[in-house]
Amino acid sequence: MPSEIKIDECELVASLKSGDQQAYSYLYDHYSAALFGTILKIIYQKEKAEDVLQECFIKIYKSIHQYDPSKGRLFTWLMQIARNTAIDTLRSKEFRNDHKNLELSNNVYNQGNAGSPLASGDAIGLDKVLKVLSEDQKKIIDLAYFQGFTQEEISGKLAVPIGTVKSRARSALMQLRKLFKEI
Amino acid sequence: MNIAEYISSGIIEQYVLGLASEAEALEVKQMAAQHAEVRQAIDAYESSLEQYAMAHAVAPRKELKNRVLEAISKQQAVAQIHGGIRSEGITVMPARSIRLFKLIAVAASILLLISLSLNGIYIFKYNQTKGNYEVLLASQQQMAANNQTLRTRMEGIENDLQLLMNPMVKPIVMKGVAAHPGMVATVYWNPENRSAYFGHTNLPKAPQGKAYQLWAIIDGKPVDMGMYQPSGQEALQQMKQAAPGAVQAFAVTLEKEGGSPVPTLNQMMVAGNI
């Protein structure tokens, strides 16, 4: 699926920039599940996560003109928006008043129960991914990539030195790269 | 450090996972812009993470799609209401419809200008015509009034003429007395029906509170024939019918307004025998 998209990514971005409704429909069809999965790593409540997904698409619409394809992949950019929108929501006063028990620091250990992974013929199943990554490696990637924590924060949360965070992150990423290259 | 060493230094992995410091991230971005290999290494890791994220994908409820797309359309509508330009300065409307809009706007502006200038011309012409009409109306009224005056005068003259052409009527010219030489007045006297008409005089305007009184001398006695005020009108003025008896002369005296039962002789102006 992602390789397919990459071919006409520039065209898609141009259509998105021109405000083409069909382009947004296409964008939603191809990326909403991945973005929703990411949002659910931060916001566990499905209803709230849906609101965040909607807000995330509005942000995409509002700032698509700032996206420069030559500077990075579209998906990476979309991910950043989804992650930032979710984190902003989590930290918002309104949300914290509603969910006093759900502190950001607690989220790390509760993930995985949020939703069922999307069954997709193209994407590699989560079970296969989890087989390749160790529990420690997976935690680091989730904290850094899905939840946007800094290495200092991760070091604090996992009670390991920053050097360990760096090396685990690197080995995890190399594992992933190897795994997806095989396909 | 060469590029291969830079790539294998581990910094790219930290950058891709968002773990690099701001300074490091800036450095990686600069390297990526300068070296295709660095960019490729970043892309490869990001692609892996993308697939990792896809493996974690969770499909949202089907209904959510419409809600999200509607929210985007609403944003577009809001942006279009605000002049078709988003706050970030990016045009939302497709270029073609902007061109069309511009074309229509220009055409509408031109039509409006034409309409406005025509309005101006028509208002000017209307005012001009209205002015002309008012002038014409005034002059028409003036002419009607003049016409009326002329008719009245002509009728008077016609009457006078008929009167003068009556063979029975005799003009009796009264000349100024010794105290008023050069004054003159005429009585047109019809002995048949004993009527008298006064006119053709150069008597001056009577002083305030005074008027001229015509007398007929009948059987040696002065008889009142009526009052006369010079008015500038030349038509003859019909006086009273003369009492029976032989009319011998006519005379005019200056009396108080309303007349006098007997003539004030020292105020006699003109007199003439038949």
mmCIF file of all heavy atoms in Angstrom, chain B residues 81-114:
data_model
loop_
_atom_site.group_PDB
_atom_site.id
_atom_site.type_symbol
_atom_site.label_atom_id
_atom_site.label_comp_id
_atom_site.label_asym_id
_atom_site.label_seq_id
_atom_site.Cartn_x
_atom_site.Cartn_y
_atom_site.Cartn_z
ATOM 1 N N ILE B 81 -15.513 31.978 2.398
ATOM 2 C CA ILE B 81 -16.240 33.171 2.849
ATOM 3 C C ILE B 81 -15.247 34.280 3.167
ATOM 4 O O ILE B 81 -15.462 35.433 2.849
ATOM 5 C CB ILE B 81 -17.105 32.836 4.081
ATOM 6 C CG1 ILE B 81 -18.298 32.015 3.640
ATOM 7 C CG2 ILE B 81 -17.550 34.094 4.799
ATOM 8 C CD1 ILE B 81 -19.035 31.341 4.750
ATOM 9 N N HIS B 82 -14.101 33.890 3.747
ATOM 10 C CA HIS B 82 -13.091 34.903 4.064
ATOM 11 C C HIS B 82 -12.264 35.251 2.845
ATOM 12 O O HIS B 82 -11.043 35.264 2.884
ATOM 13 C CB HIS B 82 -12.186 34.411 5.201
ATOM 14 C CG HIS B 82 -12.891 34.361 6.517
ATOM 15 N ND1 HIS B 82 -13.522 33.246 6.972
ATOM 16 C CD2 HIS B 82 -13.108 35.313 7.442
ATOM 17 C CE1 HIS B 82 -14.073 33.502 8.137
ATOM 18 N NE2 HIS B 82 -13.845 34.751 8.452
ATOM 19 N N GLY B 83 -12.932 35.515 1.747
ATOM 20 C CA GLY B 83 -12.242 36.033 0.577
ATOM 21 C C GLY B 83 -11.511 34.977 -0.220
ATOM 22 O O GLY B 83 -10.736 35.296 -1.094
ATOM 23 N N GLY B 84 -11.805 33.710 0.047
ATOM 24 C CA GLY B 84 -11.186 32.650 -0.726
ATOM 25 C C GLY B 84 -9.721 32.462 -0.361
ATOM 26 O O GLY B 84 -9.011 31.723 -1.003
ATOM 27 N N ILE B 85 -9.280 33.111 0.702
ATOM 28 C CA ILE B 85 -7.866 33.015 1.045
ATOM 29 C C ILE B 85 -7.769 32.576 2.495
ATOM 30 O O ILE B 85 -8.425 33.122 3.367
ATOM 31 C CB ILE B 85 -7.174 34.373 0.828
ATOM 32 C CG1 ILE B 85 -7.121 34.664 -0.641
ATOM 33 C CG2 ILE B 85 -5.788 34.362 1.419
ATOM 34 C CD1 ILE B 85 -6.721 36.063 -0.966
ATOM 35 N N ARG B 86 -6.986 31.556 2.733
ATOM 36 C CA ARG B 86 -6.812 31.102 4.102
ATOM 37 C C ARG B 86 -5.870 32.035 4.828
ATOM 38 O O ARG B 86 -5.121 32.795 4.226
ATOM 39 C CB ARG B 86 -6.233 29.690 4.099
ATOM 40 C CG ARG B 86 -7.226 28.670 3.585
ATOM 41 C CD ARG B 86 -7.040 27.347 4.312
ATOM 42 N NE ARG B 86 -5.664 26.888 4.259
ATOM 43 C CZ ARG B 86 -5.234 25.929 3.475
ATOM 44 N NH1 ARG B 86 -6.070 25.344 2.658
ATOM 45 N NH2 ARG B 86 -3.985 25.546 3.506
ATOM 46 N N SER B 87 -5.954 31.967 6.158
ATOM 47 C CA SER B 87 -5.118 32.881 6.948
ATOM 48 C C SER B 87 -3.649 32.705 6.614
ATOM 49 O O SER B 87 -2.870 33.634 6.699
ATOM 50 C CB SER B 87 -5.355 32.629 8.431
ATOM 51 O OG SER B 87 -5.150 31.252 8.704
ATOM 52 N N GLU B 88 -3.271 31.510 6.185
ATOM 53 C CA GLU B 88 -1.870 31.287 5.840
ATOM 54 C C GLU B 88 -1.541 31.864 4.463
ATOM 55 O O GLU B 88 -0.403 31.835 4.044
ATOM 56 C CB GLU B 88 -1.539 29.797 5.827
ATOM 57 C CG GLU B 88 -1.625 29.132 7.182
ATOM 58 C CD GLU B 88 -3.003 28.621 7.498
ATOM 59 O OE1 GLU B 88 -3.961 28.999 6.801
ATOM 60 O OE2 GLU B 88 -3.144 27.846 8.439
ATOM 61 N N GLY B 89 -2.525 32.395 3.794
ATOM 62 C CA GLY B 89 -2.267 33.046 2.516
ATOM 63 C C GLY B 89 -2.364 32.107 1.345
ATOM 64 O O GLY B 89 -1.932 32.446 0.250
ATOM 65 N N ILE B 90 -2.927 30.906 1.549
ATOM 66 C CA ILE B 90 -3.022 29.969 0.443
ATOM 67 C C ILE B 90 -4.451 29.977 -0.088
ATOM 68 O O ILE B 90 -5.415 29.955 0.660
ATOM 69 C CB ILE B 90 -2.638 28.555 0.913
ATOM 70 C CG1 ILE B 90 -1.163 28.502 1.250
ATOM 71 C CG2 ILE B 90 -2.974 27.516 -0.148
ATOM 72 C CD1 ILE B 90 -0.207 28.797 0.127
ATOM 73 N N THR B 91 -4.560 30.039 -1.399
ATOM 74 C CA THR B 91 -5.871 30.083 -2.024
ATOM 75 C C THR B 91 -6.505 28.699 -1.992
ATOM 76 O O THR B 91 -5.858 27.719 -2.316
ATOM 77 C CB THR B 91 -5.728 30.550 -3.465
ATOM 78 O OG1 THR B 91 -5.125 31.818 -3.417
ATOM 79 C CG2 THR B 91 -7.071 30.647 -4.148
ATOM 80 N N VAL B 92 -7.730 28.628 -1.573
ATOM 81 C CA VAL B 92 -8.431 27.353 -1.486
ATOM 82 C C VAL B 92 -9.155 27.061 -2.782
ATOM 83 O O VAL B 92 -9.223 25.928 -3.237
ATOM 84 C CB VAL B 92 -9.441 27.379 -0.314
ATOM 85 C CG1 VAL B 92 -10.210 26.073 -0.268
ATOM 86 C CG2 VAL B 92 -8.683 27.587 0.982
ATOM 87 N N MET B 93 -9.696 28.104 -3.399
ATOM 88 C CA MET B 93 -10.452 27.898 -4.630
ATOM 89 C C MET B 93 -9.511 27.440 -5.740
ATOM 90 O O MET B 93 -8.377 27.898 -5.811
ATOM 91 C CB MET B 93 -11.106 29.212 -5.062
ATOM 92 C CG MET B 93 -12.357 29.506 -4.298
ATOM 93 S SD MET B 93 -13.283 30.751 -5.138
ATOM 94 C CE MET B 93 -12.349 32.173 -4.692
ATOM 95 N N PRO B 94 -10.001 26.549 -6.597
ATOM 96 C CA PRO B 94 -9.178 26.159 -7.742
ATOM 97 C C PRO B 94 -8.875 27.376 -8.604
ATOM 98 O O PRO B 94 -9.694 28.305 -8.682
ATOM 99 C CB PRO B 94 -10.065 25.177 -8.503
ATOM 100 C CG PRO B 94 -11.155 24.812 -7.570
ATOM 101 C CD PRO B 94 -11.279 25.895 -6.569
ATOM 102 N N ALA B 95 -7.681 27.347 -9.221
ATOM 103 C CA ALA B 95 -7.238 28.504 -9.997
ATOM 104 C C ALA B 95 -8.243 28.867 -11.084
ATOM 105 O O ALA B 95 -8.488 30.036 -11.345
ATOM 106 C CB ALA B 95 -5.886 28.200 -10.633
ATOM 107 N N ARG B 96 -8.855 27.832 -11.697
ATOM 108 C CA ARG B 96 -9.758 28.092 -12.813
ATOM 109 C C ARG B 96 -10.951 28.919 -12.350
ATOM 110 O O ARG B 96 -11.339 29.880 -12.981
ATOM 111 C CB ARG B 96 -10.224 26.773 -13.405
ATOM 112 C CG ARG B 96 -10.740 26.921 -14.817
ATOM 113 C CD ARG B 96 -11.117 25.584 -15.364
ATOM 114 N NE ARG B 96 -11.818 24.846 -14.335
ATOM 115 C CZ ARG B 96 -12.373 23.651 -14.536
ATOM 116 N NH1 ARG B 96 -12.310 23.067 -15.684
ATOM 117 N NH2 ARG B 96 -12.994 23.034 -13.567
ATOM 118 N N SER B 97 -11.521 28.530 -11.198
ATOM 119 C CA SER B 97 -12.706 29.255 -10.752
ATOM 120 C C SER B 97 -12.337 30.648 -10.282
ATOM 121 O O SER B 97 -13.141 31.563 -10.332
ATOM 122 C CB SER B 97 -13.429 28.472 -9.673
ATOM 123 O OG SER B 97 -12.720 28.544 -8.479
ATOM 124 N N ILE B 98 -11.086 30.819 -9.843
ATOM 125 C CA ILE B 98 -10.642 32.174 -9.473
ATOM 126 C C ILE B 98 -10.586 33.033 -10.732
ATOM 127 O O ILE B 98 -11.054 34.169 -10.741
ATOM 128 C CB ILE B 98 -9.262 32.139 -8.800
ATOM 129 C CG1 ILE B 98 -9.424 31.622 -7.381
ATOM 130 C CG2 ILE B 98 -8.641 33.528 -8.774
ATOM 131 C CD1 ILE B 98 -8.131 31.531 -6.631
ATOM 132 N N ARG B 99 -10.023 32.432 -11.811
ATOM 133 C CA ARG B 99 -9.961 33.191 -13.063
ATOM 134 C C ARG B 99 -11.362 33.570 -13.509
ATOM 135 O O ARG B 99 -11.619 34.701 -13.892
ATOM 136 C CB ARG B 99 -9.263 32.364 -14.143
ATOM 137 C CG ARG B 99 -7.741 32.458 -14.046
ATOM 138 C CD ARG B 99 -7.086 32.059 -15.350
ATOM 139 N NE ARG B 99 -7.389 30.695 -15.727
ATOM 140 C CZ ARG B 99 -6.685 29.635 -15.290
ATOM 141 N NH1 ARG B 99 -5.680 29.816 -14.499
ATOM 142 N NH2 ARG B 99 -7.013 28.420 -15.674
ATOM 143 N N LEU B 100 -12.269 32.571 -13.417
ATOM 144 C CA LEU B 100 -13.646 32.820 -13.831
ATOM 145 C C LEU B 100 -14.256 33.908 -12.960
ATOM 146 O O LEU B 100 -14.896 34.842 -13.443
ATOM 147 C CB LEU B 100 -14.461 31.518 -13.704
ATOM 148 C CG LEU B 100 -15.889 31.596 -14.234
ATOM 149 C CD1 LEU B 100 -15.860 31.834 -15.740
ATOM 150 C CD2 LEU B 100 -16.646 30.323 -13.911
ATOM 151 N N PHE B 101 -13.990 33.772 -11.661
ATOM 152 C CA PHE B 101 -14.533 34.748 -10.724
ATOM 153 C C PHE B 101 -14.010 36.149 -11.050
ATOM 154 O O PHE B 101 -14.747 37.109 -11.106
ATOM 155 C CB PHE B 101 -14.143 34.359 -9.305
ATOM 156 C CG PHE B 101 -14.565 35.366 -8.272
ATOM 157 C CD1 PHE B 101 -15.884 35.451 -7.875
ATOM 158 C CD2 PHE B 101 -13.647 36.254 -7.729
ATOM 159 C CE1 PHE B 101 -16.276 36.377 -6.953
ATOM 160 C CE2 PHE B 101 -14.034 37.189 -6.800
ATOM 161 C CZ PHE B 101 -15.361 37.242 -6.415
ATOM 162 N N LYS B 102 -12.676 36.206 -11.325
ATOM 163 C CA LYS B 102 -12.066 37.494 -11.652
ATOM 164 C C LYS B 102 -12.701 38.082 -12.909
ATOM 165 O O LYS B 102 -13.011 39.266 -12.968
ATOM 166 C CB LYS B 102 -10.557 37.322 -11.878
ATOM 167 C CG LYS B 102 -9.757 37.383 -10.597
ATOM 168 C CD LYS B 102 -8.266 37.385 -10.919
ATOM 169 C CE LYS B 102 -7.426 37.390 -9.660
ATOM 170 N NZ LYS B 102 -6.038 37.051 -9.977
ATOM 171 N N LEU B 103 -12.900 37.177 -13.888
ATOM 172 C CA LEU B 103 -13.478 37.605 -15.154
ATOM 173 C C LEU B 103 -14.867 38.191 -14.920
ATOM 174 O O LEU B 103 -15.197 39.294 -15.375
ATOM 175 C CB LEU B 103 -13.565 36.406 -16.100
ATOM 176 C CG LEU B 103 -13.761 36.723 -17.569
ATOM 177 C CD1 LEU B 103 -12.511 37.382 -18.131
ATOM 178 C CD2 LEU B 103 -14.068 35.458 -18.345
ATOM 179 N N ILE B 104 -15.656 37.431 -14.141
ATOM 180 C CA ILE B 104 -17.023 37.884 -13.856
ATOM 181 C C ILE B 104 -16.976 39.192 -13.084
ATOM 182 O O ILE B 104 -17.718 40.130 -13.362
ATOM 183 C CB ILE B 104 -17.781 36.802 -13.066
ATOM 184 C CG1 ILE B 104 -18.028 35.601 -13.980
ATOM 185 C CG2 ILE B 104 -19.100 37.340 -12.531
ATOM 186 C CD1 ILE B 104 -18.557 34.389 -13.251
ATOM 187 N N ALA B 105 -16.042 39.247 -12.109
ATOM 188 C CA ALA B 105 -15.944 40.464 -11.296
ATOM 189 C C ALA B 105 -15.593 41.660 -12.169
ATOM 190 O O ALA B 105 -16.184 42.740 -12.038
ATOM 191 C CB ALA B 105 -14.889 40.265 -10.208
ATOM 192 N N VAL B 106 -14.614 41.463 -13.078
ATOM 193 C CA VAL B 106 -14.208 42.559 -13.962
ATOM 194 C C VAL B 106 -15.380 42.969 -14.849
ATOM 195 O O VAL B 106 -15.700 44.155 -14.968
ATOM 196 C CB VAL B 106 -12.983 42.140 -14.814
ATOM 197 C CG1 VAL B 106 -12.748 43.132 -15.940
ATOM 198 C CG2 VAL B 106 -11.747 42.047 -13.945
ATOM 199 N N ALA B 107 -16.056 41.952 -15.432
ATOM 200 C CA ALA B 107 -17.195 42.242 -16.307
ATOM 201 C C ALA B 107 -18.274 42.989 -15.537
ATOM 202 O O ALA B 107 -18.820 43.997 -16.008
ATOM 203 C CB ALA B 107 -17.752 40.943 -16.883
ATOM 204 N N ALA B 108 -18.549 42.517 -14.325
ATOM 205 C CA ALA B 108 -19.592 43.154 -13.520
ATOM 206 C C ALA B 108 -19.209 44.590 -13.193
ATOM 207 O O ALA B 108 -20.037 45.500 -13.237
ATOM 208 C CB ALA B 108 -19.802 42.359 -12.238
ATOM 209 N N SER B 109 -17.898 44.792 -12.887
ATOM 210 C CA SER B 109 -17.449 46.152 -12.567
ATOM 211 C C SER B 109 -17.621 47.070 -13.764
ATOM 212 O O SER B 109 -18.087 48.209 -13.627
ATOM 213 C CB SER B 109 -15.970 46.138 -12.176
ATOM 214 O OG SER B 109 -15.764 45.211 -11.148
ATOM 215 N N ILE B 110 -17.259 46.547 -14.952
ATOM 216 C CA ILE B 110 -17.386 47.368 -16.165
ATOM 217 C C ILE B 110 -18.853 47.713 -16.392
ATOM 218 O O ILE B 110 -19.205 48.877 -16.636
ATOM 219 C CB ILE B 110 -16.791 46.628 -17.373
ATOM 220 C CG1 ILE B 110 -15.265 46.550 -17.226
ATOM 221 C CG2 ILE B 110 -17.163 47.331 -18.676
ATOM 222 C CD1 ILE B 110 -14.587 45.653 -18.224
ATOM 223 N N LEU B 111 -19.718 46.696 -16.285
ATOM 224 C CA LEU B 111 -21.152 46.940 -16.491
ATOM 225 C C LEU B 111 -21.677 47.963 -15.489
ATOM 226 O O LEU B 111 -22.461 48.839 -15.832
ATOM 227 C CB LEU B 111 -21.931 45.627 -16.364
ATOM 228 C CG LEU B 111 -21.791 44.692 -17.564
ATOM 229 C CD1 LEU B 111 -22.487 43.371 -17.295
ATOM 230 C CD2 LEU B 111 -22.379 45.340 -18.816
ATOM 231 N N LEU B 112 -21.187 47.825 -14.256
ATOM 232 C CA LEU B 112 -21.638 48.758 -13.226
ATOM 233 C C LEU B 112 -21.210 50.181 -13.582
ATOM 234 O O LEU B 112 -21.994 51.125 -13.476
ATOM 235 C CB LEU B 112 -21.043 48.351 -11.878
ATOM 236 C CG LEU B 112 -21.491 49.207 -10.690
ATOM 237 C CD1 LEU B 112 -22.968 48.972 -10.425
ATOM 238 C CD2 LEU B 112 -20.690 48.888 -9.451
ATOM 239 N N LEU B 113 -19.947 50.312 -14.036
ATOM 240 C CA LEU B 113 -19.444 51.632 -14.415
ATOM 241 C C LEU B 113 -20.272 52.216 -15.553
ATOM 242 O O LEU B 113 -20.672 53.388 -15.513
ATOM 243 C CB LEU B 113 -17.976 51.534 -14.853
ATOM 244 C CG LEU B 113 -16.967 51.561 -13.700
ATOM 245 C CD1 LEU B 113 -15.557 51.419 -14.234
ATOM 246 C CD2 LEU B 113 -17.097 52.874 -12.918
ATOM 247 N N ILE B 114 -20.547 51.358 -16.566
ATOM 248 C CA ILE B 114 -21.345 51.823 -17.701
ATOM 249 C C ILE B 114 -22.717 52.276 -17.201
ATOM 250 O O ILE B 114 -23.199 53.362 -17.520
ATOM 251 C CB ILE B 114 -21.503 50.701 -18.756
ATOM 252 C CG1 ILE B 114 -20.134 50.434 -19.408
ATOM 253 C CG2 ILE B 114 -22.538 51.082 -19.804
ATOM 254 C CD1 ILE B 114 -20.127 49.221 -20.310
#
